[in-house]
Amino acid sequence: MTTTAADLIGLFPPGSRPDTDGTLMVGGCRLDAIAEEFGTPAIVVNEDALRRRARDYLAAFRGRWPRSDVAFASKSFPCTAVQRVMAEEGLHLDVAGGGEILTALKAGADPARLVLHGNAKTDEELEIAVGHGVGLVVIDNFDDIDRLERIVGAGRRQACLVRVIPGVEAATHASQATGHAASKFGLSPEDARAAIARIEAGSRLRLDGVHTHVGSQLLNVDQLAAAVEPIARLGTFEVYDLGGGLGARYTYDEHPPGLDEYADAMTTQARALLPSGSRIIVEPGRSMVAASACTLYRVTTVKRGVVTHVAVDGGMGDNLEVSLTGQRFEATIVNRVGGGEPVSVVGRHCESGDQLVDGVALRDPVVGDLLAVPVTGAYCYTMSNQYNGARRVPVVFTCDGDARLVVRRDTWDDLLVRDVD
């Protein structure tokens, strides 16, 4: 399809625009100035866009179901600064494991507003959760019950939800589907009933309700809403956690449902199937943060041949989404937005699979150019790594023309700091 500079800019964080000389700006900051100050690669986040998305999510659900809460799925961008924004905007935090509990607490989140997930929680993680007063622990298996009953002290009760496999086959990458019958997450409805009965018969745990999740990067709200019926069949509870999974728009060809369409679908099902006075929770991650960020790179090599390879100074060390899930991204030269001939943008790592974007149009790329990839706010920071001795990249918040570092780049010493010999 034919695309314009406006089409491409539309994939960048809301409010992005070219400066008078055509150089792309995010959050009122020129991307070339950010590269000059903070280096490349770097993840650039429009803080205002992040905050507005959080407010929009709360308004969309509370306007349709007053007793609803939005719990940001921290795993999508577990940066303390991002968790702090979500907590400040009134969201709960979905945390997966001890590390995300601790970063959430550092971010100033109220532990009572944390929801702990995990299919293989350790004693240590549950001790951290109970010790800090985490509000809800999601029971994923009977071993969770065993551990919690041992860890929770006499005279105390830990509130929990039982995770139920909804039996929904999601149209997404296999690694992102969590609601099918063979999923490693949650309990079958039959086992969930047994877990519920056991919790209700005990004295250390308090059953607040049930939880379900279909998958990630879903572009069909009907599949998301289909998970409500299986948990409704389990009985009447105070809380029904409907999970997350709404997809984000990565490319020109993708058109995920909007927030209002998603909220309508979920609350319509809730009104039809759940008790009117119950509390519902949704757990957006990707759809909350993906569009708020882009990643900035420097072109290091242009190799022309059968295919023109444009190599940059990052790659699968800061964006594993392409290699793991085949996710398509777009890209542009920062001061020549849109247009050009198709090239393959590749990374610096010693893997043929280290390809960021294949067949993307770039206008006259040369060594030294700045290249920006939009929609990198979800799971890129999460899965950043030190492959080939790469230094993990910084995160820069922009807002109203000001840029500030919220996560520094690894130093060379950071690559050695854990060595003991």
Side-chain angles (χ1 to χ4, degrees):
M1 64 179 291
T2 302
T3 58
T4 65
D7 293 326
L8 183 54
I9 292 172
L11 292 174
F12 279 83
S16 298
R17 62 177 179 82
D19 205 353
T20 53
D21 65 353
T23 300
L24 192 58
M25 303 176 71
V26 172
C29 299
R30 289 173 60 102
L31 290 181
D32 57 354
I34 290 175
E36 179 67 24
E37 182 173 359
F38 302 106
T40 57
I43 297 172
V44 181
V45 179
N46 182 332
E47 182 182 358
D48 182 60
L50 200 62
R51 291 185 181 277
R52 281 189 281 119
R53 186 64 167 171
R55 294 169 195 158
D56 288 347
Y57 246 103
L58 274 177
F61 275 90
R62 288 187 175 167
R64 292 166 171 85
W65 191 278
R67 289 201 68 206
S68 59
D69 285 306
V70 178
F72 168 60
S74 297
K75 60 182 175 289
S76 61
F77 202 157
C79 160
T80 301
V82 173
Q83 290 176 308
R84 182 176 296 114
V85 164
M86 299 304 179
E88 288 174 349
E89 295 300 333
L91 272 61
H92 290 55
L93 296 181
D94 156 358
V95 291
E100 289 183 12
I101 294 174
L102 296 177
T103 56
L105 294 175
K106 182 180 178 183
D110 179 352
R113 294 166 68 86
L114 302 186
V115 183
L116 175 64
H117 286 273
N119 70 298
K121 305 178 193 72
T122 65
D123 283 11
E124 181 184 20
E125 288 173 322
L126 290 173
E127 287 165 358
I128 291 171
V130 172
H132 285 283
V134 164
L136 285 170
V137 175
V138 177
I139 300 295
D140 192 272
N141 47 66
F142 291 102
D143 297 312
D144 279 350
I145 301 176
D146 292 340
R147 290 190 173 96
L148 279 172
E149 287 182 336
R150 186 174 65 250
I151 291 168
V152 175
R156 297 185 59 187
R157 299 189 83 188
Q158 172 63 53
C160 60
L161 306 175
V162 171
R163 179 161 179 167
V164 184
I165 299 173
V168 176
E169 296 287 340
T172 189
H173 190 275
S175 68
Q176 296 171 322
T178 60
H180 56 90
S183 174
K184 76 173 186 176
F185 298 101
L187 295 165
S188 68
E190 181 180 357
D191 284 342
R193 287 188 180 93
I196 289 168
R198 179 176 163 186
I199 292 168
E200 290 180 332
S203 61
R204 299 291 176 90
L205 305 183
R206 187 189 78 215
L207 181 73
D208 279 14
V210 288
H211 174 281
T212 193
H213 189 68
V214 175
S216 182
Q217 188 54 14
L218 297 183
L219 305 180
N220 183 333
V221 293
D222 292 337
Q223 289 188 326
L224 290 160
V228 179
E229 185 175 0
I231 59 173
R233 292 196 204 108
L234 293 173
T236 299
F237 305 101
E238 169 68 14
V239 177
Y240 295 86
D241 190 325
L242 310 181
L246 179 64
R249 186 183 183 218
Y250 286 88
T251 73
Y252 310 116
D253 296 330
E254 288 178 330
H255 299 284
L259 177 52
D260 285 335
E261 184 180 351
Y262 171 53
D264 277 340
M266 301 306 288
T267 56
T268 295
Q269 277 291 84
R271 277 191 295 273
L273 299 169
L274 303 181
S276 60
S278 60
R279 173 186 168 211
I280 66 170
I281 302 174
V282 291
E283 297 174 341
R286 188 185 304 271
S287 63
M288 180 71 75
V289 295
S292 69
C294 63
T295 302
L296 190 58
Y297 301 97
R298 183 77 66 178
V299 174
T300 58
T301 301
V302 178
K303 188 185 297 183
R304 303 184 186 279
V306 175
V307 174
T308 298
H309 290 99
V310 176
V312 297
D313 55 357
M316 64 193 303
D318 56 81
N319 187 342
L320 269 177
E321 284 277 90
V322 182
S323 300
L324 288 183
T325 69
Q327 180 59 59
R328 166 78 185 187
F329 288 82
E330 305 294 348
T332 186
I333 302 299
V334 163
N335 62 348
R336 297 190 295 281
V337 177
E341 298 299 320
V343 305
S344 180
V345 177
V346 298
R348 62 172 294 273
H349 303 282
C350 295
E351 294 283 347
S352 294
D354 183 25
Q355 183 180 64
L356 284 171
V357 195
D358 187 37
V360 66
L362 296 183
R363 200 191 323 166
D364 304 321
V366 296
V367 171
D369 275 340
L370 289 172
L371 181 141
V373 175
V375 203
T376 58
Y379 296 99
C380 292
Y381 173 85
T382 306
M383 295 186 285
S384 60
N385 59 82
Q386 297 173 325
Y387 184 39
N388 291 150
R391 294 181 294 165
R392 287 170 299 186
V393 304
V395 178
V396 179
F397 271 22
T398 62
C399 188
D400 296 331
D402 291 324
R404 63 188 177 93
L405 190 67
V406 297
V407 178
R408 66 168 174 81
R409 189 184 310 280
D410 274 354
T411 66
W412 295 117
D413 285 342
D414 287 330
L415 298 178
L416 309 173
V417 71
R418 293 191 299 133
D419 290 349
V420 295
D421 188 4

